[in-house]
Structure formats: C-alpha cells, structure tokens
Amino acid sequence: MRLARLCRLPGVITLLFSTQVLAAAPPSDSTLTAMSTAAQRLEPLHNIVVAHQGEIIHTHHQRGPAVDQPVNIKSLSKTVLAALAGAAIEEGIIESVEQPVVDLLGSLVPADAVPKVEEISVGHLLSMQAGLERTSGDNYSAWVASRNWVAYVLSRPFEDEPGGIMLYSTGSSHLLSAALTQASGESTLALARRLLGEPLDIRIPTWPRDPQGIYFGGNNMRLSPLALIQIGELYRNDGRVDDQRVLPEGWVETSWKPRGTSKWTGDGYGYGWFSTRIADELVYYGRGFGGQALYVVPSRDLTVVITSNPHPPSPGRGFQGKLNRLMDILLTEQTQVEEDTP
C-alpha cells in the first residue's frame, strides 16, 4: 500500500503517491495475551516467542528450558539445514541446487549404488524428491541402527523418479549434511557456526553424529527459541543480515515455492519450508516432532517460534493443527478465546 500525500495548488487538489510501503502494525497486547492463554491449555508446549519487524514483542514461557536456552528442535532441523545449504551455495561450496549429490559425496557413495542415484540433485534432497524409499516413519529405527547411514539411504529402492512425488525422509536431509561435509572439508557443525552462527550472532551447540562422524542432517539439532527467531528473520529479510547477504539472491522465494505436497496436511513443501494459509494470510513454516515450529508471515512482518516437549508420549499429527490455531488467534487479532480453544 502506498502513502497518499495531499498537495494543494491554486484551484487544484492533487494526490501525490510515494513509494513508501506501510508497515504492518504489530499484534495488540490483548491479542498476545489471548494467544498465551490458549497456549496454557496445551500441556506439551514450552515457549512462544513473537517478533515483529525483528523486534521481540512477546515471550511466553510455561515450562521447560527458557527462551534463551538450546532445545532439541527435532525435524525443524531440516529448515535450518536448508538455510545452511543456501549459505553454502552463496559461499561457492555447492555450485547450485542442480548439482548432482554424488559429485559432492564422492567416496561416500557405495560401490553397489544403482546408477539412478546419479540423477539425484541437491534440490531434490531439499524438497524431499529424491525418489528413494523413505527412512522416516516405520523405516527410521532400522536406518539409525545401521552401520553406515549414508550407504543405507543410497541403497534404498526407488519408489519414484528423482524430482517426482514428495517422500518425506530424514535420510535425504542426512545425505545433504554428508554432502556439505565432503564438499567443504568442514564438519556440518563447523560450517553452520561459520555461515549461519557468525552472521546471525547465534550459538549453535553440538548435536548427534552418525557412525562415520557426520552430523545428523535433519534431526536433533539444538537451538534456542531466540536463535530460531534469527533464522526466521533471515528469510523474512530475503536472506540478508543488515548489509550482508547470507543466502543467495532469490533463495528465499525459491525455497518457499512449493514443489511437493505433504500427504498428512496437504500443505506445500519447498526447500525445507512448508506453506499454508492461516486467517487468509500466506504463512511459511518449519516443524519438528512434538510441537517445534518456526513461522514466518511476510505480510504481517511477523516471525514466531513455538517449542514444546521434544519427547512426548504420543503427540499425534493433530498437534501441529493446534499450533496453527494459536497463529490464527494472532493473525485474526482475537482478544478472547473460547474454552475449547485451541
């Protein structure tokens, strides 16, 4: 929306328009309170942090570690790893999303891998379109119990062509972590600290590794809610931190473009980010098991982080919907919530 300025000339009234864009107003205090009130009915939930135009305007802590303490973000790690892949492309470590992953993995590719693995690109890993049988869900335990996680993933049968349907698989993200390590000569942890931690001024603690010492790609990273806000702000600001470009030009738009669809929610999936509509607003989000979530709402200048118990007995896939309803309270400016909300 452009600002209109009234200009008076003799006998003439003219509207002159500037190119300045009106910033979205922040949520009211009463709306933020209503969001926190609804959150209190979600026993697994730990923290909510809301930032408007990069400024923290609301924190809600109800249990667990405080907002400045690292927590297990589970599969929200995939969103962070996607940011690291973008930063590695900007750095020149990876050529592009079209680069075949076998070129980066080198000697890590098993000798008995089928030729079709040569068709899997970096972009296919980011968008979960590798085509290989999933190593998530019912297949997860066997994979992480294997002696060589990379070789195990690459030995899975193809269920579709590379670039085909979305097959959500943590193994695909782990291949990306291995590729980053091989291509850079640095561990994924060291690379993340250098390319993301330093420019964003966030602390990135160590997290688990596979039997070959490769940091787990796509699961069990540990970041504080405040650090996650900075990851979201990096995307909200088109990959820049002040005057420094961290992610390639156009990376954010490319990452948010849906390439597949979640079979569980129907939401689109790009490079590490889901997309949906909440309260008629286009919302981009990353998520992790148990109720870990990072939301970016560009039209409202909002970045929101929610963390929860990462090891609940059985949260069910419906818990993400409950987190979305908290966002609905925020985006519709509700000041009171019903007894059964969210």
Side-chain angles (χ1 to χ4, degrees):
M1 180 178 181
R2 293 182 297 172
L3 293 175
R5 178 166 56 87
L6 194 62
C7 180
R8 296 183 182 275
L9 297 175
V12 180
I13 297 178
T14 307
L15 284 176
L16 299 180
F17 289 90
S18 76
T19 58
Q20 181 179 355
V21 177
L22 283 176
S28 66
D29 290 343
S30 55
T31 291
L32 295 168
T33 298
M35 185 185 192
S36 293
T37 298
Q40 290 170 4
R41 299 167 191 167
L42 299 177
E43 193 279 332
L45 193 143
H46 287 177
N47 290 295
I48 299 175
V49 181
V50 180
H52 178 258
Q53 296 179 351
E55 178 184 353
I56 304 295
I57 60 171
H58 182 70
T59 60
H60 170 77
H61 172 73
Q62 66 188 41
R63 58 180 59 87
V67 297
D68 62 345
Q69 296 302 305
V71 297
N72 189 337
I73 63 172
K74 304 303 286 184
S75 282
L76 182 50
S77 305
K78 294 176 175 65
T79 306
V80 180
L81 190 67
L84 181 57
I89 291 174
E90 177 67 14
E91 182 86 353
I93 295 169
I94 296 175
E95 292 176 5
S96 71
V97 292
E98 284 79 31
Q99 187 171 10
V101 70
V102 294
D103 291 355
L104 300 170
L105 291 173
S107 62
L108 295 185
V109 179
D112 60 352
V114 298
K116 189 178 288 187
V117 300
E118 298 176 359
E119 300 175 22
I120 301 173
S121 69
V122 171
H124 293 150
L125 299 181
L126 288 165
S127 61
M128 298 294 173
Q129 293 174 294
L132 294 165
E133 178 186 76
R134 298 186 333 116
T135 54
S136 292
D138 294 340
N139 301 329
Y140 181 82
S141 296
W143 170 50
V144 296
S146 69
R147 295 181 179 179
N148 188 315
W149 293 8
V150 170
Y152 187 96
V153 173
L154 291 173
S155 69
R156 296 303 86 200
F158 277 87
E159 294 188 352
D160 197 14
E161 297 296 316
I165 62 172
M166 176 187 176
L167 294 167
Y168 187 89
S169 176
T170 302
S172 290
S173 295
H174 192 63
L175 290 183
L176 185 59
S177 178
L180 287 166
T181 297
Q182 289 290 96
S184 67
E186 303 175 67
S187 70
T188 306
L189 171 62
L191 198 64
R193 285 174 170 172
R194 182 168 68 84
L195 298 186
L196 295 179
E198 291 179 11
L200 297 179
D201 193 25
I202 60 175
R203 181 162 66 98
I204 303 178
T206 187
W207 70 94
R209 293 181 283 179
D210 75 3
Q212 283 64 51
I214 297 167
Y215 279 90
F216 201 166
N219 198 11
N220 292 343
M221 287 186 75
R222 297 176 63 247
L223 290 174
S224 72
L226 294 182
L228 287 169
I229 285 287
Q230 297 308 314
I231 297 291
E233 282 296 294
L234 176 64
Y235 275 77
R236 194 184 67 82
N237 288 306
D238 194 32
R240 301 183 70 93
V241 177
D242 298 325
D243 293 330
Q244 179 182 357
R245 177 157 289 286
V246 176
L247 306 178
E249 187 173 355
W251 179 260
V252 172
E253 181 180 358
T254 298
S255 297
W256 283 347
K257 178 183 177 181
R259 288 168 171 76
T261 303
S262 168
K263 63 182 291 187
W264 295 287
T265 66
D267 293 342
Y269 191 75
Y271 289 164
W273 290 85
F274 293 92
S275 58
T276 190
R277 283 198 171 271
I278 301 176
D280 292 328
E281 300 286 2
L282 190 54
V283 175
Y284 304 97
Y285 70 98
R287 69 169 187 242
F289 179 81
Q292 327 311 319
L294 167 61
Y295 295 91
V296 178
V297 191
S299 60
R300 299 289 189 90
D301 298 332
L302 289 171
T303 299
V304 180
V305 170
I306 301 176
T307 58
S308 307
N309 178 6
H311 303 291
S314 180
R317 296 191 181 104
F319 196 68
Q320 182 64 48
K322 295 180 180 180
L323 302 188
N324 286 359
R325 285 194 283 277
L326 293 178
M327 290 295 296
D328 184 76
I329 292 171
L330 186 69
L331 297 177
T332 56
E333 287 283 339
Q334 296 179 39
T335 58
Q336 293 183 333
V337 293
E338 300 296 332
E339 286 298 320
D340 61 347
T341 302

Coordinates of all heavy atoms in Angstrom, one line a residue, residues 198-261:
E198 N 27.8 -17.1 12.9 CA 28.5 -15.8 13.0 C 27.7 -14.6 12.5 O 27.5 -13.6 13.2 CB 29.9 -15.9 12.3 CG 30.9 -16.8 13.0 CD 32.2 -17.0 12.2 OE1 32.4 -16.2 11.3 OE2 33.0 -17.8 12.6
P199 N 27.2 -14.7 11.2 CA 26.4 -13.5 10.8 C 25.1 -13.3 11.5 O 24.7 -12.1 11.7 CB 26.1 -13.9 9.3 CG 26.2 -15.3 9.2 CD 27.3 -15.7 10.2
L200 N 24.5 -14.3 12.0 CA 23.2 -14.2 12.8 C 23.5 -13.9 14.3 O 22.5 -13.6 15.0 CB 22.3 -15.4 12.6 CG 21.8 -15.7 11.2 CD1 21.0 -17.0 11.2 CD2 21.1 -14.5 10.6
D201 N 24.7 -14.1 14.7 CA 25.1 -13.9 16.1 C 24.3 -14.8 17.0 O 23.7 -14.4 18.0 CB 24.9 -12.4 16.5 CG 25.6 -12.1 17.9 OD1 26.5 -12.8 18.2 OD2 25.1 -11.2 18.6
I202 N 24.3 -16.1 16.6 CA 23.6 -17.1 17.4 C 24.5 -18.2 17.8 O 25.5 -18.5 17.1 CB 22.3 -17.7 16.7 CG1 22.7 -18.4 15.4 CG2 21.3 -16.6 16.4 CD1 21.6 -19.1 14.6
R203 N 24.2 -18.9 18.9 CA 25.0 -20.0 19.4 C 24.4 -21.3 18.8 O 23.2 -21.5 18.9 CB 25.0 -20.0 20.9 CG 25.8 -21.2 21.5 CD 26.2 -20.9 22.9 NE 25.0 -20.9 23.8 CZ 24.6 -22.0 24.5 NH1 25.3 -23.1 24.5 NH2 23.5 -21.9 25.3
I204 N 25.3 -22.1 18.2 CA 24.9 -23.4 17.6 C 25.7 -24.5 18.4 O 26.8 -24.7 18.1 CB 25.1 -23.5 16.1 CG1 24.4 -22.3 15.4 CG2 24.7 -24.8 15.6 CD1 24.6 -22.3 13.9
P205 N 25.0 -25.2 19.3 CA 25.7 -26.2 20.1 C 25.9 -27.5 19.2 O 25.3 -27.6 18.2 CB 24.8 -26.5 21.3 CG 23.8 -25.4 21.3 CD 23.7 -24.9 19.9
T206 N 26.7 -28.4 19.7 CA 26.9 -29.6 19.0 C 25.6 -30.5 19.1 O 24.8 -30.2 20.0 CB 28.1 -30.4 19.6 OG1 28.3 -31.6 18.8 CG2 27.8 -30.8 21.1
W207 N 25.5 -31.4 18.2 CA 24.3 -32.3 18.2 C 24.8 -33.7 17.7 O 26.0 -33.8 17.3 CB 23.2 -31.8 17.4 CG 23.3 -31.7 15.9 CD1 22.9 -32.7 15.0 CD2 23.9 -30.7 15.1 NE1 23.2 -32.3 13.7 CE2 23.8 -31.1 13.7 CE3 24.5 -29.5 15.4 CZ2 24.3 -30.3 12.7 CZ3 25.0 -28.7 14.3 CH2 24.9 -29.1 13.0
P208 N 24.0 -34.7 17.7 CA 24.5 -36.1 17.5 C 25.1 -36.3 16.1 O 24.7 -35.5 15.1 CB 23.2 -37.0 17.7 CG 22.4 -36.2 18.6 CD 22.6 -34.8 18.2
R209 N 25.9 -37.3 15.9 CA 26.5 -37.7 14.7 C 26.3 -39.1 14.3 O 25.9 -39.9 15.2 CB 28.0 -37.4 14.7 CG 28.4 -35.9 14.8 CD 29.9 -35.7 14.8 NE 30.5 -36.0 16.1 CZ 31.8 -35.9 16.4 NH1 32.6 -35.6 15.4 NH2 32.2 -36.2 17.6
D210 N 26.5 -39.5 13.1 CA 26.3 -40.9 12.6 C 27.5 -41.7 12.9 O 28.5 -41.1 13.4 CB 25.8 -40.9 11.2 CG 27.0 -40.6 10.2 OD1 28.2 -40.5 10.6 OD2 26.7 -40.6 9.0
P211 N 27.5 -43.0 12.7 CA 28.7 -43.8 13.0 C 30.0 -43.3 12.3 O 31.1 -43.6 12.8 CB 28.3 -45.2 12.5 CG 26.8 -45.2 12.6 CD 26.4 -43.8 12.2
Q212 N 29.9 -42.6 11.2 CA 31.1 -42.1 10.5 C 31.5 -40.7 10.9 O 32.4 -40.1 10.4 CB 30.8 -42.1 8.9 CG 31.0 -43.5 8.3 CD 29.9 -44.5 8.8 OE1 28.7 -44.2 8.8 NE2 30.3 -45.6 9.2
G213 N 30.7 -40.2 11.9 CA 31.1 -38.9 12.4 C 30.4 -37.7 11.7 O 30.7 -36.5 12.0
I214 N 29.5 -38.0 10.8 CA 28.8 -36.9 10.1 C 27.6 -36.4 11.0 O 26.8 -37.2 11.5 CB 28.3 -37.4 8.8 CG1 29.4 -37.8 7.9 CG2 27.4 -36.3 8.1 CD1 29.0 -38.6 6.6
Y215 N 27.5 -35.1 11.2 CA 26.5 -34.6 12.0 C 25.1 -34.9 11.4 O 24.9 -34.8 10.2 CB 26.6 -33.1 12.2 CG 27.6 -32.8 13.3 CD1 29.0 -32.6 13.0 CD2 27.3 -32.7 14.6 CE1 29.9 -32.4 13.9 CE2 28.2 -32.5 15.6 CZ 29.5 -32.3 15.3 OH 30.5 -32.1 16.3
F216 N 24.2 -35.3 12.3 CA 22.9 -35.7 11.9 C 22.2 -34.7 11.0 O 22.0 -33.5 11.5 CB 22.0 -36.0 13.1 CG 20.9 -36.9 12.9 CD1 20.2 -37.5 14.0 CD2 20.4 -37.2 11.7 CE1 19.1 -38.3 13.9 CE2 19.3 -38.0 11.5 CZ 18.6 -38.6 12.6
G217 N 21.9 -35.0 9.8 CA 21.2 -34.0 8.9 C 19.7 -34.1 9.0 O 19.1 -35.1 8.6
G218 N 19.1 -33.1 9.6 CA 17.6 -33.1 9.6 C 16.9 -33.5 10.8 O 15.7 -33.6 10.9
N219 N 17.7 -33.7 11.9 CA 17.0 -34.1 13.2 C 18.0 -33.8 14.3 O 19.2 -33.8 14.2 CB 16.7 -35.6 13.2 CG 15.6 -35.9 14.2 OD1 15.0 -35.1 14.8 ND2 15.4 -37.2 14.4
N220 N 17.4 -33.5 15.5 CA 18.0 -33.4 16.8 C 19.1 -32.3 16.9 O 19.9 -32.3 17.8 CB 18.7 -34.7 17.1 CG 17.7 -35.8 17.4 OD1 16.5 -35.5 17.6 ND2 18.1 -37.1 17.4
M221 N 19.0 -31.3 16.0 CA 19.8 -30.1 16.3 C 19.3 -29.4 17.5 O 18.1 -29.6 17.9 CB 19.7 -29.1 15.1 CG 20.5 -29.5 13.9 SD 20.5 -28.2 12.6 CE 21.6 -27.0 13.3
R222 N 20.1 -28.6 18.2 CA 19.7 -27.9 19.4 C 20.0 -26.4 19.2 O 21.1 -25.9 19.0 CB 20.5 -28.4 20.6 CG 20.3 -29.9 20.9 CD 21.2 -30.4 22.0 NE 20.9 -29.7 23.2 CZ 21.7 -28.9 23.9 NH1 22.9 -28.7 23.3 NH2 21.4 -28.3 25.0
L223 N 18.8 -25.6 19.2 CA 18.9 -24.2 19.1 C 17.9 -23.6 20.1 O 16.9 -24.2 20.3 CB 18.5 -23.7 17.6 CG 19.6 -24.0 16.5 CD1 19.0 -23.6 15.2 CD2 20.9 -23.3 16.8
S224 N 18.2 -22.4 20.5 CA 17.2 -21.7 21.4 C 16.1 -21.1 20.6 O 16.3 -20.8 19.4 CB 17.9 -20.6 22.2 OG 18.3 -19.5 21.4
P225 N 14.9 -20.9 21.2 CA 13.9 -20.2 20.5 C 14.3 -18.8 20.0 O 13.9 -18.4 18.9 CB 12.8 -20.0 21.6 CG 13.0 -21.2 22.4 CD 14.5 -21.4 22.5
L226 N 15.2 -18.1 20.7 CA 15.7 -16.8 20.3 C 16.6 -17.0 19.0 O 16.5 -16.1 18.1 CB 16.4 -16.1 21.4 CG 15.6 -15.6 22.6 CD1 16.5 -14.9 23.6 CD2 14.4 -14.8 22.2
A227 N 17.4 -18.0 19.0 CA 18.2 -18.3 17.8 C 17.3 -18.6 16.6 O 17.6 -18.2 15.5 CB 19.2 -19.4 18.1
L228 N 16.2 -19.4 16.8 CA 15.3 -19.7 15.7 C 14.6 -18.5 15.2 O 14.4 -18.4 14.0 CB 14.3 -20.7 16.2 CG 14.8 -22.1 16.4 CD1 13.7 -23.0 17.1 CD2 15.2 -22.8 15.1
I229 N 14.4 -17.5 16.0 CA 13.8 -16.2 15.5 C 14.8 -15.6 14.5 O 14.3 -15.1 13.5 CB 13.6 -15.3 16.7 CG1 12.3 -15.7 17.5 CG2 13.4 -13.8 16.2 CD1 11.0 -15.4 16.9
Q230 N 16.0 -15.7 14.7 CA 17.0 -15.1 13.8 C 17.0 -15.9 12.5 O 17.2 -15.3 11.4 CB 18.4 -15.1 14.5 CG 18.5 -14.2 15.7 CD 18.0 -12.8 15.5 OE1 18.3 -12.2 14.4 NE2 17.1 -12.3 16.4
I231 N 16.9 -17.2 12.5 CA 16.8 -17.9 11.3 C 15.5 -17.5 10.5 O 15.6 -17.3 9.3 CB 16.6 -19.5 11.6 CG1 17.9 -20.0 12.3 CG2 16.4 -20.2 10.3 CD1 19.1 -20.0 11.4
G232 N 14.4 -17.3 11.2 CA 13.2 -16.9 10.5 C 13.4 -15.5 10.0 O 12.9 -15.1 8.8
E233 N 14.0 -14.6 10.7 CA 14.3 -13.2 10.3 C 15.2 -13.2 9.1 O 15.0 -12.3 8.2 CB 14.9 -12.4 11.4 CG 13.8 -11.9 12.4 CD 12.8 -11.0 11.8 OE1 13.2 -9.9 11.4 OE2 11.6 -11.4 11.7
L234 N 16.1 -14.1 9.0 CA 17.0 -14.2 7.8 C 16.2 -14.4 6.6 O 16.4 -13.8 5.5 CB 18.0 -15.3 8.0 CG 18.9 -15.6 6.8 CD1 19.9 -14.4 6.6 CD2 19.7 -16.9 7.1
Y235 N 15.1 -15.2 6.6 CA 14.3 -15.5 5.5 C 13.3 -14.3 5.3 O 13.0 -13.9 4.1 CB 13.5 -16.8 5.7 CG 14.3 -18.0 5.3 CD1 15.3 -18.5 6.0 CD2 14.0 -18.6 4.0 CE1 16.1 -19.6 5.6 CE2 14.8 -19.7 3.6 CZ 15.8 -20.2 4.4 OH 16.5 -21.3 4.0
R236 N 12.8 -13.7 6.4 CA 11.9 -12.6 6.2 C 12.6 -11.4 5.5 O 11.9 -10.7 4.8 CB 11.3 -12.2 7.6 CG 10.1 -11.3 7.5 CD 9.6 -10.8 8.8 NE 10.6 -10.0 9.5 CZ 10.7 -8.7 9.3 NH1 9.9 -8.1 8.4 NH2 11.6 -7.9 9.9
N237 N 13.9 -11.3 5.8 CA 14.6 -10.2 5.2 C 15.4 -10.6 3.9 O 16.4 -10.1 3.6 CB 15.6 -9.7 6.2 CG 14.9 -8.9 7.3 OD1 14.2 -8.0 7.1 ND2 15.2 -9.3 8.6
D238 N 14.8 -11.6 3.2 CA 15.3 -12.0 1.9 C 16.8 -12.5 1.9 O 17.5 -12.2 1.0 CB 15.1 -10.9 0.9 CG 15.3 -11.4 -0.6 OD1 15.0 -12.5 -0.8 OD2 15.8 -10.6 -1.4
G239 N 17.2 -13.2 3.0 CA 18.5 -13.7 3.0 C 19.6 -12.8 3.4 O 20.8 -13.1 3.2
R240 N 19.3 -11.7 4.0 CA 20.3 -10.7 4.4 C 20.2 -10.4 5.9 O 19.2 -10.5 6.5 CB 20.0 -9.3 3.6 CG 20.1 -9.4 2.1 CD 19.9 -8.1 1.5 NE 21.1 -7.3 1.7 CZ 22.1 -7.2 0.9 NH1 22.1 -7.9 -0.3 NH2 23.2 -6.4 1.1
V241 N 21.4 -10.1 6.4 CA 21.5 -9.6 7.8 C 22.2 -8.2 7.6 O 23.3 -8.1 7.3 CB 22.4 -10.5 8.6 CG1 22.6 -9.9 10.0 CG2 21.8 -11.9 8.7
D242 N 21.4 -7.2 7.8 CA 21.8 -5.8 7.6 C 22.3 -5.7 6.2 O 21.5 -5.9 5.2 CB 22.9 -5.4 8.6 CG 22.4 -5.4 10.0 OD1 21.2 -5.1 10.3 OD2 23.1 -5.8 11.0
D243 N 23.6 -5.3 5.9 CA 24.1 -5.2 4.6 C 24.8 -6.4 4.1 O 25.3 -6.5 2.9 CB 25.1 -4.0 4.5 CG 24.4 -2.7 4.8 OD1 23.2 -2.6 4.4 OD2 25.0 -1.8 5.3
Q244 N 24.8 -7.5 4.8 CA 25.5 -8.7 4.5 C 24.5 -9.7 3.9 O 23.5 -10.1 4.5 CB 26.2 -9.4 5.7 CG 26.9 -10.7 5.3 CD 27.5 -11.3 6.6 OE1 27.5 -10.7 7.7 NE2 28.1 -12.5 6.4
R245 N 24.8 -10.2 2.7 CA 24.0 -11.3 2.1 C 24.5 -12.6 2.5 O 25.7 -13.0 2.3 CB 24.0 -11.2 0.5 CG 23.2 -12.3 -0.1 CD 22.8 -12.0 -1.5 NE 21.7 -11.0 -1.6 CZ 20.4 -11.2 -1.2 NH1 20.1 -12.4 -0.8 NH2 19.5 -10.3 -1.3
V246 N 23.6 -13.4 3.2 CA 24.0 -14.7 3.7 C 23.5 -15.8 2.8 O 24.2 -16.8 2.5 CB 23.4 -14.9 5.1 CG1 23.7 -16.3 5.7 CG2 24.0 -13.8 6.1
L247 N 22.3 -15.6 2.3 CA 21.7 -16.6 1.3 C 21.7 -16.0 -0.1 O 21.6 -14.7 -0.2 CB 20.3 -16.9 1.7 CG 20.1 -17.4 3.2 CD1 18.6 -17.7 3.5 CD2 20.9 -18.7 3.4
P248 N 21.8 -16.8 -1.1 CA 21.8 -16.2 -2.5 C 20.6 -15.4 -2.8 O 19.5 -15.6 -2.3 CB 21.8 -17.5 -3.3 CG 22.3 -18.6 -2.5 CD 21.8 -18.3 -1.1
E249 N 20.8 -14.4 -3.6 CA 19.7 -13.6 -4.1 C 18.6 -14.5 -4.7 O 18.9 -15.4 -5.6 CB 20.1 -12.6 -5.1 CG 19.1 -11.6 -5.5 CD 19.6 -10.5 -6.4 OE1 20.8 -10.4 -6.6 OE2 18.8 -9.7 -6.9
G250 N 17.4 -14.4 -4.3 CA 16.3 -15.2 -4.8 C 16.1 -16.5 -4.1 O 15.1 -17.2 -4.4
W251 N 17.0 -16.8 -3.1 CA 16.9 -18.1 -2.4 C 15.6 -18.2 -1.6 O 15.0 -19.3 -1.6 CB 18.1 -18.3 -1.5 CG 18.1 -19.6 -0.7 CD1 17.7 -19.8 0.6 CD2 18.5 -20.9 -1.2 NE1 17.8 -21.1 0.9 CE2 18.3 -21.8 -0.2 CE3 18.9 -21.3 -2.5 CZ2 18.6 -23.1 -0.3 CZ3 19.2 -22.7 -2.6 CH2 19.0 -23.6 -1.5
V252 N 15.2 -17.2 -1.0 CA 14.0 -17.3 -0.2 C 12.8 -17.6 -1.0 O 12.0 -18.4 -0.7 CB 13.8 -16.0 0.7 CG1 12.5 -16.0 1.4 CG2 15.0 -15.8 1.7
E253 N 12.6 -16.8 -2.1 CA 11.5 -17.1 -3.0 C 11.5 -18.5 -3.5 O 10.5 -19.2 -3.6 CB 11.5 -16.1 -4.1 CG 10.3 -16.2 -5.1 CD 10.4 -15.2 -6.2 OE1 11.3 -14.3 -6.2 OE2 9.5 -15.2 -7.1
T254 N 12.7 -18.9 -3.9 CA 12.9 -20.3 -4.4 C 12.5 -21.3 -3.4 O 11.9 -22.3 -3.6 CB 14.3 -20.5 -4.9 OG1 14.6 -19.6 -6.0 CG2 14.5 -21.9 -5.4
S255 N 13.0 -21.1 -2.1 CA 12.7 -22.0 -1.0 C 11.3 -22.1 -0.7 O 10.8 -23.2 -0.3 CB 13.5 -21.6 0.2 OG 14.9 -21.6 0.0
W256 N 10.6 -21.0 -0.8 CA 9.2 -21.0 -0.4 C 8.2 -21.5 -1.5 O 7.0 -21.7 -1.2 CB 8.8 -19.6 0.1 CG 9.3 -19.3 1.5 CD1 9.8 -20.2 2.4 CD2 9.3 -18.0 2.1 NE1 10.1 -19.5 3.5 CE2 9.9 -18.2 3.4 CE3 9.0 -16.7 1.7 CZ2 10.0 -17.1 4.3 CZ3 9.1 -15.6 2.6 CH2 9.7 -15.8 3.9
K257 N 8.7 -21.7 -2.7 CA 7.9 -22.2 -3.8 C 7.6 -23.7 -3.6 O 8.5 -24.5 -3.5 CB 8.6 -22.0 -5.1 CG 7.9 -22.5 -6.3 CD 8.7 -22.4 -7.6 CE 7.9 -22.9 -8.8 NZ 8.7 -22.8 -10.0
P258 N 6.3 -24.1 -3.5 CA 6.0 -25.5 -3.2 C 6.4 -26.3 -4.4 O 6.2 -26.0 -5.6 CB 4.5 -25.5 -3.1 CG 4.1 -24.1 -2.7 CD 5.1 -23.2 -3.5
R259 N 7.1 -27.4 -4.1 CA 7.4 -28.4 -5.1 C 6.8 -29.8 -4.9 O 6.7 -30.6 -5.8 CB 9.0 -28.6 -5.1 CG 9.7 -27.4 -5.7 CD 11.2 -27.4 -5.5 NE 11.8 -26.4 -6.2 CZ 11.8 -25.1 -5.9 NH1 11.2 -24.7 -4.8 NH2 12.4 -24.2 -6.7
G260 N 6.3 -29.9 -3.7 CA 5.5 -31.2 -3.3 C 4.5 -30.8 -2.4 O 4.3 -29.7 -1.9
T261 N 3.7 -31.8 -1.9 CA 2.6 -31.6 -1.0 C 2.7 -32.7 0.1 O 2.8 -33.9 -0.2 CB 1.2 -31.7 -1.7 OG1 1.2 -30.8 -2.8 CG2 0.1 -31.5 -0.8

